[in-house]
């Protein structure tokens, strides 16, 4: 297989250590890289090489397209049974404590115009709310806006509500699907390594449980995303272990749409003593994820978390999805110290950001179908 210009540029790297030469060869012919290769990329490859290799994979999957969606978030509550050390959002750390009523949530839905295609619902794990509460909420939202795709409830929220209702995971997911659940967001994955997970979010659902919930969701026709929280206590080995577990699951089901690396932000939480990683480290993370996850169709930069500038640059390191317009509807990252305290982007700002990054802006729906003007 040839890849044109990128192939020629890669010759520039022929003097690199053998291991990088061999990785470059594998990527250029579409061969899967190994966990050791992934570590070598993190440890030895300079950004120029990473950008080229990630760009090859991105181009193969998505051409010059960079996708965005008109979307908004609803965070129903920040009252949480868990106490993750990195969290600035839950009632344990945030200055505010809230639980929206169903009517208040429906009011927020009514405020959005018909061009908005997707609602992302996620929040804390409320001790008193069960699966019927959340199923009923989905039904009411769909009754109000049948065409709105609802991507809702992280695997951690799902684990709690399904367990509370004494259902099997498959029963709980089937029930929520029948109420209008369209897909599952990628939250709660954090870092799969059990020792680090225990340290930073020991009360949370286990890694195996997170993977099991996504696997069952895929089998019953509910697609999902996957995330990884990076830039805290984890090593490159832990990052590759996380990517490897996701790649294996995706080989079995093909149900993941996008992978979203989430940079640890250190304001107002119990891990504030840990410095945030550099932009170089962020770009490495995007590029290695794009190269390693050869079976994931999309790599997303979640701009409210990393800032617009970093998201824009990430398009040269494998990213093809800029998430969406958001409409100032999420607080998770503003509370943790992100640059945008009221995240909202107009479609023209989104198009300008993508065009300046030399990509083709494509408005998408939740299934990555292009929206025709
Ligand atoms: O699981 C919480 C993360 C996630 C911090 O699927 C933090 O399209 C960094 O998963 N620093 C929830 N990260 C958000 C999420 C998400 C966001 C956007 C799109 C999608 C999608 C999913 O936020 C949590 C956790 O990993 N998080 N606190 C923090 N201080
Ligand atoms: Fe609760 Fe989620 Fe915050 Fe953990 S990250 S404390 S589960 S809201």
């Amino acid at each position: 297989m040839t890849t044109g210009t990128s192939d020629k540029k890669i010759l520039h790297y022929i003097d690199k250590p053998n291991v990088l030469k061999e990785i470059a060869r594998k990527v250029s012919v579409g061969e899967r890289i190994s966990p050791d290769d992934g570590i070598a990329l993190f440890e030895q490859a300079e950004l120029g090489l990473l950008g080229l290799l990630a760009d090859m994979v991105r181009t193969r999957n998505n051409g010059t397209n960079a996708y965005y969606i008109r979307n908004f978030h609803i965070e129903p509550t920040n009252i949480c049974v868990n106490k993750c050390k990195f969290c600035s959002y839950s009632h344990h750390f945030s200055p505010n404590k809230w639980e929206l009523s169903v009517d208040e949530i429906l009011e927020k839905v009514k405020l959005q115009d018909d061009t908005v295609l997707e609602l992302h619902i996620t929040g804390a794990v409320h001790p008193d709310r069960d699966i019927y509460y959340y199923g009923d909420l989905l039904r009411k939202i769909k009754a109000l806006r049948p065409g709105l795709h609802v991507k809702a409830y992280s695997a951690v929220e799902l684990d709690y509500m399904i367990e509370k209702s004494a259902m099997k995971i498959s029963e709980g997911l089937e029930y929520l699907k029948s109420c209008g659940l369209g897909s599952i967001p990628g939250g709660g994955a954090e870092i799969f390594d059990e020792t680090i997970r225990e340290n930073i979010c020991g009360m949370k659902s286990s890694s195996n449980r997170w993977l099991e919930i996504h696997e069952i969701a895929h089998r019953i026709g509910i697609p999902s995303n996957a995330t990884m929280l990076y830039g805290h206590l984890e090593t490159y080995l832990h990052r590759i272990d996380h990517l490897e577990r996701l790649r294996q699951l995706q080989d079995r089901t093909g149900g993941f749409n996008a992978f979203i690396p989430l940079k640890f932000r250190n304001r107002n939480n119990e891990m504030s003593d840990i410095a945030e990683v550099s932009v170089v480290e962020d770009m490495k993370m995007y590029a290695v994820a794009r190269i390693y996850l050869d079976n994931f169709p999309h790599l997303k930069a979640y701009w409210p978390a990393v800032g617009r500038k970093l998201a824009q640059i990430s398009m040269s390191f494998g990213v093809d999805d800029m998430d969406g317009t958001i409409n100032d509807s999420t607080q998770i990252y503003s509370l943790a110290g992100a640059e945008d305290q009221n995240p909202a982007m107009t479609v023209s700002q989104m198009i300008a950001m993508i065009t300046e990054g030399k990509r083709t802006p494509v408005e998408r729906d939740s299934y990555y179908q292009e929206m025709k003007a």
Side-chain angles (χ1 to χ4, degrees):
M1 187 188 302
T2 61
T3 47
T5 321
S6 297
D7 267 357
K8 289 184 199 113
K9 285 191 204 159
I10 223 81
L11 293 174
H12 170 70
Y13 289 96
I14 228 79
D15 289 338
K16 298 291 165 203
N18 277 341
V19 59
L20 294 185
K21 241 197 269 183
E22 174 57 9
I23 296 171
R25 185 201 62 75
K26 284 183 183 172
V27 178
S28 64
V29 298
E31 203 176 296
R32 179 165 277 191
I33 67 164
S34 70
D36 283 347
D37 293 339
I39 304 283
L41 282 178
F42 269 129
E43 286 179 348
Q44 298 178 40
E46 60 188 81
L47 274 188
L49 176 61
L50 288 171
L52 278 175
L53 296 179
D55 210 46
M56 271 187 197
V57 182
R58 183 194 56 72
T59 308
R60 235 176 251 151
N61 284 356
N62 297 296
T64 61
N65 290 352
Y67 297 93
Y68 67 94
I69 187 167
R70 295 182 207 231
N71 65 349
F72 70 113
H73 288 224
I74 291 181
E75 293 162 355
T77 182
N78 73 338
I79 299 173
C80 197
V81 298
N82 296 329
K83 211 170 179 184
C84 306
K85 287 188 191 163
F86 54 79
C87 180
S88 324
Y89 161 86
S90 82
H91 77 284
H92 304 292
F93 304 106
S94 160
N96 305 317
K97 185 173 177 175
W98 73 88
E99 47 188 325
L100 302 178
S101 67
V102 171
D103 284 344
E104 283 171 319
I105 292 175
L106 295 177
E107 283 310 311
K108 286 182 181 287
V109 175
K110 282 182 199 157
L111 285 177
Q112 302 295 323
D113 69 51
D114 284 343
T115 62
V116 175
L117 296 179
E118 185 182 272
L119 163 59
H120 178 155
I121 308 179
T122 197
V125 184
H126 193 288
D128 305 329
R129 291 184 172 174
D130 63 13
I131 197 165
Y132 300 105
Y133 171 87
Y134 286 111
D136 188 49
L137 178 62
L138 287 171
R139 282 210 170 106
K140 288 183 169 143
I141 292 170
K142 294 297 280 187
L144 204 59
R145 288 283 306 276
L148 188 67
H149 177 99
V150 187
K151 178 176 74 176
Y153 315 138
S154 74
V156 172
E157 293 160 81
L158 290 166
D159 189 17
Y160 190 83
M161 68 175 90
I162 293 173
E163 178 97 24
K164 195 176 174 67
S165 318
M167 285 179 173
K168 287 199 237 159
I169 294 173
S170 56
E171 286 168 351
L173 291 174
E174 289 280 12
Y175 165 72
L176 291 171
K177 190 179 175 200
S178 74
C179 297
L181 181 68
S183 58
I184 297 176
E190 319 313 355
I191 195 85
F192 291 145
D193 175 81
E194 278 73 12
T195 309
I196 307 279
R197 192 178 186 85
E198 177 62 31
N199 186 340
I200 66 171
C201 54
M203 296 170 75
K204 209 164 213 165
S205 312
S206 70
S207 305
N208 282 341
R209 190 74 168 167
W210 189 99
L211 291 161
E212 187 187 5
I213 289 172
H214 282 258
E215 180 150 10
I216 294 172
H218 297 171
R219 296 211 186 282
I220 63 179
I222 304 172
S224 70
N225 289 335
T227 59
M228 172 168 76
L229 183 70
Y230 73 94
H232 43 91
L233 300 176
E234 89 291 356
T235 64
Y236 291 145
L237 210 67
H238 299 132
R239 292 189 198 175
I240 292 295
D241 165 64
H242 192 97
L243 298 179
E244 176 60 23
R245 296 196 210 191
L246 290 174
R247 192 168 75 174
Q248 286 183 15
L249 172 48
Q250 180 75 334
D251 275 345
R252 294 196 294 277
T253 66
F256 286 118
N257 281 330
F259 176 66
I260 311 146
L262 292 172
K263 176 193 179 108
F264 166 64
R265 308 304 309 251
N266 70 0
R267 191 128 11 114
N268 305 322
N269 55 51
E270 277 187 9
M271 288 163 53
S272 292
D273 56 318
I274 299 176
E276 291 181 1
V277 295
S278 67
V279 177
V280 171
E281 201 56 48
D282 294 322
M283 293 310 120
K284 271 188 181 183
M285 187 61 244
Y286 283 112
V288 175
R290 181 59 288 174
I291 297 162
Y292 202 86
L293 295 176
D294 56 354
N295 52 4
F296 271 61
H298 303 285
L299 180 67
K300 182 189 283 193
Y302 184 53
W303 66 265
V306 292
R308 296 168 194 226
K309 290 180 184 159
L310 199 147
Q312 190 181 37
I313 297 169
S314 73
M315 288 188 293
S316 296
F317 292 86
V319 164
D320 67 282
D321 182 7
M322 303 303 281
D323 197 82
T325 48
I326 308 287
N327 290 348
D328 190 11
S329 53
T330 174
Q331 298 187 55
I332 295 179
Y333 283 94
S334 40
L335 290 168
E339 290 72 10
D340 273 286
Q341 287 294 298
N342 299 93
M345 230 196 267
T346 62
V347 167
S348 41
Q349 285 172 329
M350 184 67 88
I351 289 172
M353 178 169 81
I354 293 173
T355 310
E356 207 188 6
K358 296 283 175 278
R359 298 285 178 259
T360 313
V362 175
E363 184 180 350
R364 65 166 175 91
D365 67 8
S366 304
Y367 305 97
Y368 290 81
Q369 298 300 309
E370 184 170 346
M371 301 306 296
K372 301 286 175 210

